[in-house]
C-alpha cells in the first residue's frame, strides 16, 4: 500500500503526486471517482464511456463478444471470396 500526505488548496483541490498517479494508472485528463466511507475517502480511476458507445459495454453485448471469439478460436468460421458467395451461403444456395 502506498500512502503520501497531500495538501488541500483553497479551491478544495489536491495534487496527486506522480508516484501515486503512476501506481494507480492515472493520466492527465482521466476521471477519478471519490467515495466517502467510514474510514475516509476512496479514490478510484474511472473510464468514462461515450453514450453512443455504451451499448457495446453492456453485459449482453460483452457475452456475445466472448461467444463469437470462442467460435473463432474453435475454427467455427468461414471465408468467402465475394459478397455474393456469402449471400448465397446465407440463402442456402451454396
Amino acid at each position: 500500500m502506498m500512502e503520501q500526505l497531500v495538501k488541500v488548496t483553497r479551491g478544495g483541490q489536491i495534487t496527486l503526486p506522480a508516484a501515486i498517479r503512476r501506481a494507480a494508472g492515472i493520466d492527465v485528463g482521466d476521471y477519478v471517482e471519490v467515495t466517502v466511507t467510514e474510514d475516509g475517502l476512496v479514490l478510484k480511476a474511472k473510464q468514462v464511456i461515450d453514450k453512443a458507445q455504451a451499448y457495446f459495454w453492456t453485459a449482453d453485448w460483452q457475452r456475445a463478444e466472448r461467444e463469437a471469439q470462442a467460435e473463432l478460436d474453435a475454427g467455427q468460421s468461414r471465408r468467402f471470396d465475394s459478397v455474393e458467395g456469402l449471400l448465397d451461403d446465407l440463402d442456402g444456395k451454396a
Side-chain angles (χ1 to χ4, degrees):
M1 177 179 278
M2 181 181 282
E3 295 177 355
Q4 194 162 350
L5 187 63
V6 297
K7 182 179 180 180
V8 179
T9 66
R10 183 172 21 137
Q13 297 177 334
I14 63 170
T15 298
L16 298 176
I20 298 284
R21 292 192 313 268
R22 278 193 301 274
I26 297 171
D27 293 317
V28 173
D30 285 355
Y31 285 88
V32 176
E33 176 183 81
V34 181
T35 305
V36 178
T37 70
E38 290 181 7
D39 296 325
L41 301 176
V42 176
L43 281 70
K44 294 181 183 177
K46 289 291 184 171
Q47 187 172 30
V48 178
I49 299 171
D50 185 289
K51 269 181 133 177
Q53 299 293 314
Y55 181 79
F56 299 107
W57 299 103
T58 62
D60 286 343
W61 186 274
Q62 290 299 305
R63 184 176 51 258
E65 287 282 342
R66 287 189 298 276
E67 289 173 7
Q69 188 62 55
E71 290 175 3
L72 288 170
D73 293 345
Q76 298 172 342
S77 64
R78 293 181 294 217
R79 289 186 175 263
F80 298 93
D81 293 329
S82 66
V83 172
E84 291 79 16
L86 168 64
L87 294 175
D88 286 347
D89 185 73
L90 290 172
D91 290 337
K93 296 178 184 176

